[in-house]
Amino acid sequence: MQVYGLLGNPVSHSLSPPMHEAAYETLDIDARYVTFEPDPEALEAAIGGADALGIAGLNVTVPFKEAACESSLVAVDDVAARIGAVNTIDFAGTPTGHNTDAAGALRALDEHDIAVSGARAVVVGAGGAGRAIAFGLADGGADVAVANRTASRAHDLADDVPGAGGYGLEAVPTLLEGADLLVNATSVGMEEDVSPVAAEALHGDLAVMDAVYRPLETRLLREAAASGATTIDGAWMLLYQGVEAFELWTGREAPVEAMNAALRGRLRADSTNPL
Ligand code: NAP
């Protein structure tokens, strides 16, 4: 039996176990997906221990993604190195570190037939998700503007992303006037029914993707739909980062429908039994 898992803290409400185990069941793979919560200072020991135990692959989440990128035990690929965060470790041979959030965001857009190459994209948020999404969109050929509450973080991120510009949140309505794509990569909309973008700035020529997946229907997405925009909820990016990790680990095409059904089933169950 192969063991895969997730390193993070906390991880008790993670959606990755049902999503990956649905894939194993569908493809008849003898594997389990387990969550681990090491102490923050024990990350290196946890990675070394996982390798020694023969664990096949680990996802990495908050607060370990950046530290995993610095780990002396992990050979980090170019995409993860540029983002500065590892969310997937493959233990086949020398452990390798990858970031599937960027590709996950691109595949979520592709699933909805949203063209990225040549698109004018506005990413709101410059934290971990914002970094991965901004790099992914730029690599996909988009013209990227990053806006963040703390404008200096947007400037720093824009300095790293080819061709990108960095702004404070006050610039968002103007940036959206000529934009094709808006991505919310802040946590705004999770705890309260608020949106990081004024409803009046949204319009029908936009595709709007939210990284927030709890709740699935955020205020931003409701207001975007009302403005005539195409909307893509946060579960799509979550699904495709998992699909990318599964394919990297197993070398097999992921059963996307089964993983999506498991993920959305768990999200629905959680929304009727709040965490
Ligand atoms: P993070 O690194 O902590 O960054 C948080 C971001 O939200 C920063 O840009 C922060 O701005 C901004 N922010 C927080 N509170 C705000 C407020 N009240 N007003 C305006 N901006 C605010 O978090 P993260 O890891 O990037 O995650 C961000 C969101 O994406 C979370 O909801 C997370 O669950 C989600 N996410 C989803 C996926 C997916 O696959 N769907 C993957 C990763 C993350 P400052 O810099 O000014 O603090």
Side-chain angles (χ1 to χ4, degrees), residues 65 101 125-130 148-150 153 169 185-188 190 211-213 234 237-238 241:
K65 288 185 187 187
D101 283 335
N148 196 51
R149 176 177 62 178
T150 309
R153 286 186 89 188
L169 288 183
T186 73
S187 47
V188 177
M190 275 183 79
V212 171
Y213 51 84
M237 177 176 161
L238 187 64
Q241 63 74 32

Side-chain angles (χ1 to χ4, degrees), residues 118-198:
R120 284 157 301 177
V122 179
V123 178
V124 180
R131 279 192 76 81
I133 293 165
F135 275 101
L137 291 173
D139 286 352
D143 178 8
V144 178
V146 181
N148 196 51
R149 176 177 62 178
T150 309
S152 59
R153 286 186 89 188
H155 295 139
D156 290 347
L157 175 52
D159 286 346
D160 293 342
V161 175
Y167 304 87
L169 288 183
E170 68 289 345
V172 171
T174 308
L175 291 169
L176 286 180
E177 281 172 18
D180 307 297
L181 174 61
L182 164 66
V183 183
N184 174 39
T186 73
S187 47
V188 177
M190 275 183 79
E191 302 292 336
E192 290 175 86
D193 190 35
V194 290
S195 169
V197 176

